[in-house]
Amino acid sequence: MAEFTLDLNDDQKQVRDWLHGFAADVIRPAAAEWDEREETPWPVIQEAAKVGIYSLDFYAQQFFDPTGLGIPMAMEELFWGDAGIALSIVGTGLAAVGVLANGTEEQIGTWIPQMYGDANDVKVAAFCSSEPDAGSDVASMRTRAVYDEAKDEWVLNGTKTWATNGGIANVHVVVAVVDPDLGSKGHASFIVPPATPGLSQGQKFKKHGIRASHTAEVVLEDVRIPGHCLLGGKEKLDERLARARERAKAGGERVKNAAMATFEASRPAVGAMAVGTARAAYEVALDYAKTRSQFGRPIIDNQGIAFQLADMRTRIDAARLLVWRASWMATTGKPFTSAEGSMSKLYASETAKSVTAQAIQILGGNGFTREYPVERMHRDAAIYTIFEGTSEIQRLVIARTLSGMPIR
């Protein structure tokens, strides 16, 4: 078991510096353009694929880093470059985590490579969980999956929303209801292969921030998929549903939920994204405060500015420590007895919103214009307290974990 340490080893430092260089040289120069265009930055994703960043091998290496710091380190550097473009590069990872969390070894080996494609033919994937009436309340999910035993096929019907890469993805991972009587415990995850009839893109959302990342509805109309596209397999599903029914009769609740398993694994990574955005805004504000003069001296000489920067840096470092702790715990198999994963996402997300707002204040009128990047960073930061579990939901998870109450 890897010991927890704040010192990156030489290999980690090399990867960090490589990612930082890509973020500085490729992502940042393209950020404003793709934010304005509100389109998927395919050329940047392709560049990431060419150098090996957008690939299964790269994310596998970071995912299996024995210290647990590979993924958060990568997320922080890429999102330091730009949140919208970075999300387009890493968005496929959420679908991949969905397969890793719930799939068999054969399914992992079959479907995850198809999510990425290669440098000459880049593909993306989408994880589809939220619905118009089921965001934080996953128990209200209505998308149904019905098993056609005669054909060994699952038939999916419903509408998903807020899906990153939804509709443009090569592979969609869809969470659906298989037993409505069990609420959130009656859900399962499915692979919808490329070009499957009945799956279409609904509304594409025009967003406040992360505008270079494609977000849309996914409509499923009598979508038929082979039985082997049920993640984990039917035998495992039947066993899990049987346990859930028995525990429901006995008044128990502790049964694994497909969507929640994915979110539990990804929350520290979202926290790392938020840390990257916050750090980027802080650095712009710090440089500005050191060079902007008013009343004959740099504005950083004023305590009102200096103290803000001190608080910003302190919060960023504290957020990173929470993210690293949760990532290390997850990798080394230590249970989140105090909801450490949710803690990391909560604090880092709120830090990103606060720090980017303070950065605008320090830049004054310049910060309110698109001539400086902090305006975009502030818009981007708003998403961290919303997606993959709102800040309110994180607080609920933490409180219920501490009290021993069931997390529904």
Side-chain angles (χ1 to χ4, degrees):
M1 178 183 295
E3 294 297 324
F4 182 73
T5 176
L6 299 178
D7 292 325
L8 299 179
N9 60 43
D10 290 341
D11 289 341
Q12 290 170 326
K13 290 177 182 177
Q14 185 176 2
V15 171
R16 180 198 61 192
D17 294 344
W18 172 53
L19 291 170
H20 187 81
F22 184 84
D25 297 339
V26 180
I27 294 178
R28 278 208 170 174
E33 175 188 353
W34 291 100
D35 178 71
E36 291 288 345
R37 292 175 64 167
E38 298 191 54
E39 297 175 0
T40 300
W42 291 108
V44 184
I45 298 175
Q46 189 166 35
E47 285 300 311
K50 286 180 180 178
V51 300
I53 294 174
Y54 186 77
S55 71
L56 172 61
D57 287 344
F58 172 72
Y59 287 106
Q61 289 174 13
Q62 304 315 309
F63 185 82
F64 290 111
D65 181 333
T67 69
L69 302 185
I71 289 293
M73 182 184 64
M75 295 301 105
E76 180 177 338
E77 294 304 328
L78 292 174
F79 280 74
W80 172 90
D82 176 69
I85 292 178
L87 190 57
S88 286
I89 294 173
V90 308
T92 293
L94 184 58
V97 169
V99 176
L100 286 169
N102 301 292
T104 64
E105 289 187 10
E106 182 179 358
Q107 289 169 330
I108 292 169
T110 298
W111 295 112
I112 293 183
Q114 295 186 49
M115 294 179 174
Y116 289 95
D118 57 47
N120 297 316
D121 187 19
V122 170
K123 305 292 185 183
V124 294
F127 182 76
C128 308
S129 177
S130 294
E131 298 183 3
D133 295 320
S136 299
D137 183 11
V138 295
S140 296
M141 191 177 293
R142 296 180 181 177
T143 296
R144 287 296 310 275
V146 178
Y147 185 58
D148 184 340
E149 189 170 1
K151 296 183 178 180
D152 186 26
E153 292 180 337
W154 289 91
V155 184
L156 276 59
N157 282 281
T159 299
K160 294 296 182 178
T161 194
W162 310 123
T164 299
N165 298 328
I168 66 171
N170 193 49
V171 175
H172 290 76
V173 177
V174 177
V175 181
V177 179
V178 294
D179 188 334
D181 294 334
L182 292 176
S184 63
K185 307 303 183 289
H187 298 174
S189 294
F190 300 85
I191 292 285
V192 180
T196 299
L199 184 147
S200 62
Q201 179 183 308
Q203 176 188 5
K204 177 186 175 182
F205 296 103
K206 297 181 73 66
K207 305 188 298 294
H208 175 68
I210 55 167
R211 302 199 303 192
S213 174
H214 176 96
T215 310
E217 291 181 330
V218 174
V219 181
L220 304 138
E221 297 179 306
D222 292 327
V223 173
R224 286 186 167 269
I225 57 175
H228 62 76
C229 287
L230 165 65
L231 289 178
K234 193 166 187 307
E235 182 178 347
K236 184 177 179 180
L237 172 65
D238 289 342
E239 292 174 357
R240 179 167 62 81
L241 294 178
R243 290 197 305 271
R245 294 184 189 106
E246 287 300 317
R247 295 189 183 194
K249 290 179 182 177
E253 293 286 346
R254 304 287 291 188
V255 180
K256 181 180 178 182
N257 170 268
M260 294 306 294
T262 300
F263 292 139
E264 286 170 7
S266 63
R267 277 173 179 157
V270 176
M273 299 174 189
V275 171
T277 299
R279 188 183 114 211
Y282 159 77
E283 290 177 0
V284 173
L286 176 63
D287 289 343
Y288 186 89
K290 289 160 63 177
T291 58
R292 170 71 167 173
S293 292
Q294 290 289 281
F295 305 105
R297 61 181 182 177
I299 62 174
I300 197 171
D301 284 351
N302 299 307
Q303 283 189 352
I305 301 296
F307 284 9
Q308 283 192 72
L309 288 164
D311 288 343
M312 292 159 72
R313 177 59 185 267
T314 300
R315 290 200 61 176
I316 291 167
D317 283 9
R320 183 184 297 108
L321 288 173
L322 285 170
V323 167
W324 282 20
R325 179 184 68 167
S327 300
W328 173 77
M329 290 177 67
T331 297
T332 55
K334 294 186 179 296
F336 289 163
T337 55
S338 299
E340 287 86 352
S342 289
M343 282 185 184
S344 70
K345 180 187 182 297
L346 170 65
Y347 192 79
S349 298
E350 296 291 345
T351 292
K353 283 186 67 175
S354 171
V355 166
T356 54
Q358 287 176 289
I360 289 178
Q361 192 68 24
I362 290 171
L363 269 67
N366 286 327
F368 198 66
T369 71
R370 295 190 182 181
E371 296 299 315
Y372 287 79
V374 292
E375 176 271 341
R376 184 180 68 252
M377 294 169 182
H378 184 52
R379 286 189 285 108
D380 292 340
I383 194 61
Y384 299 126
T385 63
I386 298 172
F387 71 176
E388 294 197 46
T390 64
S391 288
E392 291 75 19
I393 289 297
Q394 304 309 320
R395 291 183 173 98
L396 184 63
V397 170
I398 295 166
R400 288 187 171 177
T401 302
L402 296 176
S403 67
M405 294 172 62
I407 302 172
R408 295 178 172 83

